[in-house]
mmCIF file with all atom_site columns, all heavy atoms in Angstrom:
data_model
loop_
_atom_site.group_PDB
_atom_site.id
_atom_site.type_symbol
_atom_site.label_atom_id
_atom_site.label_alt_id
_atom_site.label_comp_id
_atom_site.label_asym_id
_atom_site.label_entity_id
_atom_site.label_seq_id
_atom_site.pdbx_PDB_ins_code
_atom_site.Cartn_x
_atom_site.Cartn_y
_atom_site.Cartn_z
_atom_site.occupancy
_atom_site.B_iso_or_equiv
_atom_site.pdbx_formal_charge
_atom_site.auth_seq_id
_atom_site.auth_comp_id
_atom_site.auth_asym_id
_atom_site.auth_atom_id
_atom_site.pdbx_PDB_model_num
ATOM 1  N N   . ALA A 1 76  ? -5.830 10.077 -24.868 1.00 0.00 ? 715 ALA A N   1
ATOM 2  C CA  . ALA A 1 76  ? -4.540 9.529  -24.511 1.00 0.00 ? 715 ALA A CA  1
ATOM 3  C C   . ALA A 1 76  ? -3.485 10.579 -24.645 1.00 0.00 ? 715 ALA A C   1
ATOM 4  O O   . ALA A 1 76  ? -3.614 11.579 -25.390 1.00 0.00 ? 715 ALA A O   1
ATOM 5  C CB  . ALA A 1 76  ? -4.255 8.351  -25.429 1.00 0.00 ? 715 ALA A CB  1
ATOM 6  N N   . LEU A 1 78  ? -0.220 11.729 -26.076 1.00 0.00 ? 717 LEU A N   1
ATOM 7  C CA  . LEU A 1 78  ? 0.564  11.393 -27.234 1.00 0.00 ? 717 LEU A CA  1
ATOM 8  C C   . LEU A 1 78  ? 1.940  12.021 -27.057 1.00 0.00 ? 717 LEU A C   1
ATOM 9  O O   . LEU A 1 78  ? 2.057  13.248 -26.847 1.00 0.00 ? 717 LEU A O   1
ATOM 10 C CB  . LEU A 1 78  ? -0.104 11.965 -28.479 1.00 0.00 ? 717 LEU A CB  1
ATOM 11 C CG  . LEU A 1 78  ? 0.531  11.818 -29.829 1.00 0.00 ? 717 LEU A CG  1
ATOM 12 C CD1 . LEU A 1 78  ? 0.518  10.344 -30.215 1.00 0.00 ? 717 LEU A CD1 1
ATOM 13 C CD2 . LEU A 1 78  ? -0.165 12.647 -30.830 1.00 0.00 ? 717 LEU A CD2 1
ATOM 14 N N   . ILE A 1 80  ? 5.063  13.436 -28.668 1.00 0.00 ? 719 ILE A N   1
ATOM 15 C CA  . ILE A 1 80  ? 5.567  13.867 -29.955 1.00 0.00 ? 719 ILE A CA  1
ATOM 16 C C   . ILE A 1 80  ? 7.057  14.021 -29.818 1.00 0.00 ? 719 ILE A C   1
ATOM 17 O O   . ILE A 1 80  ? 7.558  14.984 -29.180 1.00 0.00 ? 719 ILE A O   1
ATOM 18 C CB  . ILE A 1 80  ? 4.853  15.137 -30.420 1.00 0.00 ? 719 ILE A CB  1
ATOM 19 C CG1 . ILE A 1 80  ? 3.469  14.688 -30.760 1.00 0.00 ? 719 ILE A CG1 1
ATOM 20 C CG2 . ILE A 1 80  ? 5.545  15.690 -31.620 1.00 0.00 ? 719 ILE A CG2 1
ATOM 21 C CD1 . ILE A 1 80  ? 2.464  15.696 -30.462 1.00 0.00 ? 719 ILE A CD1 1
ATOM 22 N N   . THR A 1 172 ? 2.331  28.337 -25.284 1.00 0.00 ? 811 THR A N   1
ATOM 23 C CA  . THR A 1 172 ? 1.261  28.025 -24.334 1.00 0.00 ? 811 THR A CA  1
ATOM 24 C C   . THR A 1 172 ? 0.332  26.946 -24.882 1.00 0.00 ? 811 THR A C   1
ATOM 25 O O   . THR A 1 172 ? -0.393 26.297 -24.110 1.00 0.00 ? 811 THR A O   1
ATOM 26 C CB  . THR A 1 172 ? 0.411  29.223 -23.980 1.00 0.00 ? 811 THR A CB  1
ATOM 27 O OG1 . THR A 1 172 ? -0.132 29.747 -25.226 1.00 0.00 ? 811 THR A OG1 1
ATOM 28 C CG2 . THR A 1 172 ? 1.235  30.290 -23.287 1.00 0.00 ? 811 THR A CG2 1
ATOM 29 N N   . PRO A 1 233 ? -5.636 6.293  -16.275 1.00 0.00 ? 872 PRO A N   1
ATOM 30 C CA  . PRO A 1 233 ? -6.451 7.249  -15.587 1.00 0.00 ? 872 PRO A CA  1
ATOM 31 C C   . PRO A 1 233 ? -5.592 8.107  -14.587 1.00 0.00 ? 872 PRO A C   1
ATOM 32 O O   . PRO A 1 233 ? -5.903 9.255  -14.419 1.00 0.00 ? 872 PRO A O   1
ATOM 33 C CB  . PRO A 1 233 ? -7.462 6.390  -14.838 1.00 0.00 ? 872 PRO A CB  1
ATOM 34 C CG  . PRO A 1 233 ? -7.557 5.168  -15.601 1.00 0.00 ? 872 PRO A CG  1
ATOM 35 C CD  . PRO A 1 233 ? -6.180 4.949  -16.144 1.00 0.00 ? 872 PRO A CD  1
ATOM 36 N N   . ALA B 1 76  ? 0.974  15.700 -26.102 1.00 0.00 ? 835 ALA B N   1
ATOM 37 C CA  . ALA B 1 76  ? -0.280 16.284 -26.358 1.00 0.00 ? 835 ALA B CA  1
ATOM 38 C C   . ALA B 1 76  ? -1.392 15.251 -26.014 1.00 0.00 ? 835 ALA B C   1
ATOM 39 O O   . ALA B 1 76  ? -1.185 14.072 -25.988 1.00 0.00 ? 835 ALA B O   1
ATOM 40 C CB  . ALA B 1 76  ? -0.474 16.671 -27.780 1.00 0.00 ? 835 ALA B CB  1
ATOM 41 N N   . LEU B 1 78  ? -4.440 13.323 -26.969 1.00 0.00 ? 837 LEU B N   1
ATOM 42 C CA  . LEU B 1 78  ? -5.018 12.892 -28.244 1.00 0.00 ? 837 LEU B CA  1
ATOM 43 C C   . LEU B 1 78  ? -6.401 12.410 -27.968 1.00 0.00 ? 837 LEU B C   1
ATOM 44 O O   . LEU B 1 78  ? -6.615 11.573 -27.103 1.00 0.00 ? 837 LEU B O   1
ATOM 45 C CB  . LEU B 1 78  ? -4.158 11.752 -28.771 1.00 0.00 ? 837 LEU B CB  1
ATOM 46 C CG  . LEU B 1 78  ? -4.592 11.047 -30.077 1.00 0.00 ? 837 LEU B CG  1
ATOM 47 C CD1 . LEU B 1 78  ? -4.389 12.026 -31.219 1.00 0.00 ? 837 LEU B CD1 1
ATOM 48 C CD2 . LEU B 1 78  ? -3.759 9.801  -30.229 1.00 0.00 ? 837 LEU B CD2 1
ATOM 49 N N   . THR B 1 172 ? -8.084 0.160  -17.224 1.00 0.00 ? 931 THR B N   1
ATOM 50 C CA  . THR B 1 172 ? -7.171 0.991  -16.478 1.00 0.00 ? 931 THR B CA  1
ATOM 51 C C   . THR B 1 172 ? -6.067 1.612  -17.355 1.00 0.00 ? 931 THR B C   1
ATOM 52 O O   . THR B 1 172 ? -5.462 2.607  -16.997 1.00 0.00 ? 931 THR B O   1
ATOM 53 C CB  . THR B 1 172 ? -6.422 0.247  -15.379 1.00 0.00 ? 931 THR B CB  1
ATOM 54 O OG1 . THR B 1 172 ? -5.722 -0.812 -15.950 1.00 0.00 ? 931 THR B OG1 1
ATOM 55 C CG2 . THR B 1 172 ? -7.412 -0.255 -14.361 1.00 0.00 ? 931 THR B CG2 1
ATOM 56 N N   . PRO B 1 233 ? -0.394 23.758 -21.403 1.00 0.00 ? 992 PRO B N   1
ATOM 57 C CA  . PRO B 1 233 ? 0.281  23.431 -20.139 1.00 0.00 ? 992 PRO B CA  1
ATOM 58 C C   . PRO B 1 233 ? -0.676 23.253 -18.974 1.00 0.00 ? 992 PRO B C   1
ATOM 59 O O   . PRO B 1 233 ? -0.477 22.428 -18.128 1.00 0.00 ? 992 PRO B O   1
ATOM 60 C CB  . PRO B 1 233 ? 1.264  24.582 -19.909 1.00 0.00 ? 992 PRO B CB  1
ATOM 61 C CG  . PRO B 1 233 ? 1.462  25.173 -21.242 1.00 0.00 ? 992 PRO B CG  1
ATOM 62 C CD  . PRO B 1 233 ? 0.199  24.945 -22.015 1.00 0.00 ? 992 PRO B CD  1
#
Side-chain angles (χ1 to χ4, degrees):
Chain A
L717 178 69
I719 288 143
T811 59
Chain B
L837 178 69
T931 59

